[in-house]
Amino acid sequence: MTVTVVVIEDESATRDLIVGYLTRSGNRVTGCGTLAEAAQALHDLQPDVVVSDVGLPDGNGANFCLDHFSRLPHAKWLIMSAQAEMLHHPRALVKRPDAPPLSVFDKPVPLRALDEVIRQAMFAVPPMRASAAD
């Protein structure tokens, strides 16, 4: 099964590393440098996994997750940041009973963590989608 992934990271070297790793693992991956690009990618691709930095030039990746997770109920979200203080809010969200399905990691994210999120997406039961005939 091919997993569709959107990677949101403004630092091009980190984005290229993650996109390259996930692509070599057989996934369909799109890299975005801003939340504006990511919003379009979510709309176009309906990804199974979203990997997002928190501190982005046009906003906060954790807030972006909260704003979009209800539109993609099947998606797994991985939030990351090199700045520990930026992860306090996402880590608190994970503990809420109504929390979106997200994982929170310090950067650099261990590649095994990416593999685990992909594995979870592969074995998740996707929601029923309306067919074109409906």
Side-chain angles (χ1 to χ4, degrees):
M1 173 184 175
T2 299
V3 174
T4 301
V5 183
V6 170
V7 176
I8 312 164
E9 170 59 66
D10 59 321
E11 185 179 309
S12 61
T14 301
R15 183 177 61 245
D16 292 347
L17 176 72
I18 294 170
V19 168
Y21 175 77
L22 294 175
T23 300
R24 285 189 302 278
S25 297
N27 303 291
R28 178 180 171 210
V29 186
T30 297
C32 302
T34 65
L35 294 175
E37 291 173 13
Q40 187 63 50
L42 296 187
H43 178 268
D44 294 346
L45 303 173
Q46 298 290 303
D48 304 299
V49 174
V50 179
V51 177
S52 181
D53 189 12
V54 175
L56 294 154
D58 57 344
N60 182 294
N63 291 338
F64 181 82
C65 167
L66 291 176
D67 293 344
H68 290 86
F69 87 94
S70 63
R71 288 186 26 234
L72 299 167
H74 69 285
K76 306 298 180 205
W77 297 76
L78 187 148
I79 304 298
M80 60 186 179
S81 180
Q83 299 172 327
E85 67 276 0
M86 293 190 84
L87 293 175
H88 291 300
H89 177 67
R91 284 194 170 118
L93 288 175
V94 171
K95 297 176 184 175
R96 290 184 4 196
D98 62 337
L102 62 87
S103 300
V104 180
F105 286 92
D106 294 307
K107 285 194 324 192
V109 174
L111 296 180
R112 71 183 182 329
L114 295 172
D115 289 335
E116 178 60 20
V117 173
I118 297 297
R119 187 190 68 72
Q120 289 173 9
M122 287 177 68
F123 293 106
V125 177
M128 296 294 291
R129 294 185 183 175
S131 68
D134 289 347

